[in-house]
């Protein structure tokens, strides 16, 4: 079993839809959870960050972590064509010098006008 | 600030040739990383550095070497390229461990094809 599993997609939704993106993980030591957004032919950029369990909201984006189920989600409200990108979840045990991020494979989202 | 830059943007190599990918960051970050991204495989860590003069192996280090002679630069070398090294290579940097977010800033990538 991979440490981080992410639905491979792709996912296509109409403009204005609510989008739910999910990752599951197997390692209970993960404490820091991130969502990166990657536009085509660009590098990933940090979209949301959450420590431990709980929700975090930033505009149309909400990140949710359920450590008891080892499950994280990213919700996008009122999705826009500009949200079309690949979304990667990432997580780490700690933030020390030798900490590393473990990434999901990413899911490609297309928002149709 | 330019952030993280990578040189070159594209390269085609023949099997057995060598090359060096250059990563530069102007944010005075301590930590730097090299990843490769392949379809269906996600981002995989090749090597990383936690400071000038230091390097360490990541998940997929075989066939690659790295050097961090200057804090702002992190070089990735392929001594004898193989078709399996065809990939998109990303460099990333992180300020240091005092930043609790653990955020990594990524460069735009280098697309490498080995024929």
């Amino acid at each position: 079993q991979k440490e981080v599993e992410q639905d491979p997609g792709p996912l296509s939704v109409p403009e204005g839809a609510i989008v739910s993106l999910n990752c599951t993980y197997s390692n209970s030591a993960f404490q820091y959870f991130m969502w990166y957004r990657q536009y085509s032919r660009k590098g990933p950029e940090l979209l949301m960050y959450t420590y431990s369990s709980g929700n975090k909201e930033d505009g149309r984006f909400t990140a949710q972590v359920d450590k008891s189920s080892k499950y994280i989600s990213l919700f996008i409200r009122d999705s826009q064509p500009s949200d079309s990108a690949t979304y990667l979840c990432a997580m780490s045990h700690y933030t020390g010098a030798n900490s590393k991020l473990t990434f999901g494979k990413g899911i490609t989202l297309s928002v149709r006008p | 600030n330019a952030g993280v830059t990578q040189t070159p943007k594209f390269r085609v190599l023949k099997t057995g040739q060598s090359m060096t990918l250059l990563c530069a960051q102007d944010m005075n970050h301590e930590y730097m990383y090299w990843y490769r991204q392949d379809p269906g495989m996600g981002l995989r860590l090749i090597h990383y550095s936690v400071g000038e003069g230091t390097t360490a192996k990541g998940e997929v280090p075989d066939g690659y070497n790295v050097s961090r002679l200057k804090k702002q630069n992190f070089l990735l070398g392929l001594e004898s390229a193989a078709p399996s090294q065809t990939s998109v290579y990303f460099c990333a940097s992180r300020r240091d461990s005092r930043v609790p977010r653990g955020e990594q800033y990524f460069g735009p990538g280098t697309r490498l094809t080995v024929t």
Side-chain angles (χ1 to χ4, degrees), chain B residues 36 45-47 57-65 77-78 84-85:
Chain B
R36 59 178 290 173
L45 183 65
I46 304 171
H47 286 281
K57 294 180 180 180
E59 181 185 354
V60 288
D62 294 341
Y64 305 95
N65 56 74
L78 287 73
S84 61
Q85 294 177 304

Side-chain angles (χ1 to χ4, degrees), chain A residues 22-98:
Chain A
N22 309 298
C23 286
T24 58
Y25 62 95
S26 58
N27 191 335
S28 58
F30 286 138
Q31 297 189 76
Y32 300 89
F33 304 93
M34 284 147 267
W35 286 95
Y36 280 81
R37 178 175 61 194
Q38 185 178 18
Y39 290 114
S40 180
R41 296 185 173 263
K42 301 287 186 186
E45 56 178 349
L46 184 69
L47 186 62
M48 296 287 284
Y49 165 87
T50 311
Y51 169 65
S52 195
S53 286
N55 291 1
K56 184 172 183 178
E57 190 173 319
D58 184 1
R60 297 184 294 109
F61 298 89
T62 299
Q64 195 172 76
V65 174
D66 182 349
K67 289 191 73 179
S68 62
S69 302
K70 298 191 183 71
Y71 190 88
I72 71 170
S73 300
L74 177 71
F75 298 98
I76 307 174
R77 289 183 299 281
D78 186 26
S79 56
Q80 302 294 308
S82 59
D83 296 327
S84 298
T86 297
Y87 291 80
L88 303 106
C89 61
M91 42 199 84
S92 67
H93 307 91
Y94 70 112
T95 60
N98 291 295

